[in-house]
Amino acid sequence: MEQQLDRAAVRAAADRIAGAVRPAPVVPAADGVWYALEYLQHTGSFKARGAHNFLAAHREAGPLPEAGVAIASGGNAGLACAWAARAHSVPATVFVPVHAPRVKVERLRRYGAEVRLVGDRFAEAQDAAREFAASSGALAGHAYDHPLVAAGAGTLLDDIRAGLPEVDTVVVAVGGGGLFAGVATAAREHGIRVVAAEPENCRALNAALAAGRPVDVPVDSVAADSLGATRVSADALAAAQQGGVRSVLVPDAEIAAARRALWEEHRIVVEAGAATALAALRIAPEPLGKHVAVVLCGANTDPADLAAGPGPGERPGQGQRPGQGERPGQG
């Protein structure tokens, strides 16, 4: 089925997933800063929105195949796919890189997915998923590079606007770009700026902007398990090129410090990938906006390391920007 990512696609996604996903609470965090608590979503990340929209749209077009859906995922997209497949009463086969966090693999199996561990990189698992889909007749899902997936993710902006009507800036972490592409597409209609936050060594969108096209990049970051795409989607690049978007690169030490601050000051546990958005705000030399929503997009992580204290080269509050009143993360 032919699809494109635009505001109409995001609206259609909102209709399809209404009542199936949890609205994201938007809570004050500091002067001029709010957190969008999307980590409270079904399966622990924003991916549930896109996965449900993907299957619901295909079901609208005709019966879903008996083989269900196949997807490659570092974890979160697979969890969302398995959850959505269960809701639609079809099987899910999830191809996962061998280094995927154990907590995610175990949860995949609890959702009823068949898990196949393949390769060290997302691209290898993706090739295996495509081969399986072609031979079995299963729907070929994608962790981020599909208009239906991105449109579903973009419905998060409606929740942010409902919780913070005056929002002028949204900060999102970027891996392959599904969340960013959807949110930026929806935000453009309302004149809302989007800050795309990436680890310095997982910079697929930033590199694509520099090259003028999606390019392969190295993946080496504390946040690689959720933001470790080697190439950003064409939809994400197109959204970034429309204007109203700022690309920010964040060192790993700042990501770790932001993640720890969320725990120490709010008892919020998120993945390093989700903390990347907050880290981008903390290192900004000036305020990013007057009413900034930081998306905390996923919490499928092992919290054990948060009790260990700052890591090498890291200190509590490291990288915070001078702010008005409290700094982000302080409660």
Side-chain angles (χ1 to χ4, degrees), residues 49-79:
R49 295 174 184 263
H52 197 282
N53 186 49
F54 177 81
L55 287 178
H58 279 88
R59 172 155 273 171
E60 285 177 4
L64 296 174
E66 289 185 9
V69 59
I71 191 171
S73 168
N76 283 341
L79 289 169

Side-chain angles (χ1 to χ4, degrees), residues 4-16 151 185 189:
Q4 64 179 3
L5 179 61
D6 53 22
R7 183 54 184 156
V10 178
R11 291 194 192 100
D15 290 339
R16 289 191 194 101
T185 297
E189 179 181 22

Side-chain angles (χ1 to χ4, degrees), residues 17-294:
I17 69 177
V21 301
R22 295 168 178 157
V26 179
V27 301
D31 188 13
V33 179
W34 286 256
Y35 294 155
L37 307 184
E38 181 65 355
Y39 68 90
L40 298 175
Q41 189 54 259
H42 292 293
T43 76
S45 87
F46 74 94
K47 298 281 190 179
R49 295 174 184 263
H52 197 282
N53 186 49
F54 177 81
L55 287 178
H58 279 88
R59 172 155 273 171
E60 285 177 4
L64 296 174
E66 289 185 9
V69 59
I71 191 171
S73 168
N76 283 341
L79 289 169
C81 180
W83 168 79
R86 188 174 66 180
H88 287 277
S89 301
V90 295
T93 305
V94 183
F95 293 78
V96 179
V98 296
H99 58 74
R102 184 179 65 181
V103 64
K104 294 182 180 179
V105 173
E106 291 174 349
R107 288 194 67 201
L108 277 169
R109 292 182 172 134
R110 287 201 297 273
Y111 279 119
E114 179 181 347
V115 181
R116 301 192 183 186
L117 302 176
V118 179
D120 294 321
R121 300 284 183 175
F122 174 79
E124 296 172 87
Q126 187 176 49
D127 287 343
R130 286 172 178 160
E131 291 174 8
F132 175 82
S135 63
S136 68
L139 276 175
H142 199 285
Y144 59 87
D145 193 3
H146 193 288
L148 288 169
V149 172
T155 62
L156 174 59
L157 187 76
D158 291 338
D159 291 357
I160 293 173
R161 292 183 62 242
L164 182 62
E166 62 270 40
V167 60
D168 56 52
T169 305
V170 177
V171 188
V172 298
V174 181
L179 175 62
F180 163 76
V183 168
T185 297
R188 191 161 56 246
E189 179 181 22
H190 303 286
I192 297 170
R193 296 181 296 274
V194 179
V195 176
E198 297 176 278
E200 286 182 336
N201 295 319
C202 286
R203 56 196 300 171
L205 178 61
N206 183 270
L209 284 168
R213 59 185 176 83
V215 293
D216 289 338
V217 297
V219 172
D220 182 16
S221 170
V222 67
D225 66 308
S226 53
L227 303 183
T230 56
R231 178 178 288 231
V232 78
S233 72
D235 281 333
L237 175 58
Q241 292 173 326
Q242 292 294 317
V245 172
R246 177 177 174 182
S247 173
V248 176
L249 298 178
V250 187
D252 272 7
E254 306 292 357
I255 295 171
R259 180 171 177 261
R260 193 175 307 282
L262 284 166
W263 166 247
E264 291 180 347
E265 296 159 12
H266 290 300
R267 285 304 186 256
I268 289 175
V269 179
V270 296
E271 302 169 22
T276 300
L278 177 59
L281 178 73
R282 286 160 60 96
I283 68 171
E286 57 191 25
L288 297 176
K290 292 183 178 179
H291 301 92
V292 180
V294 177

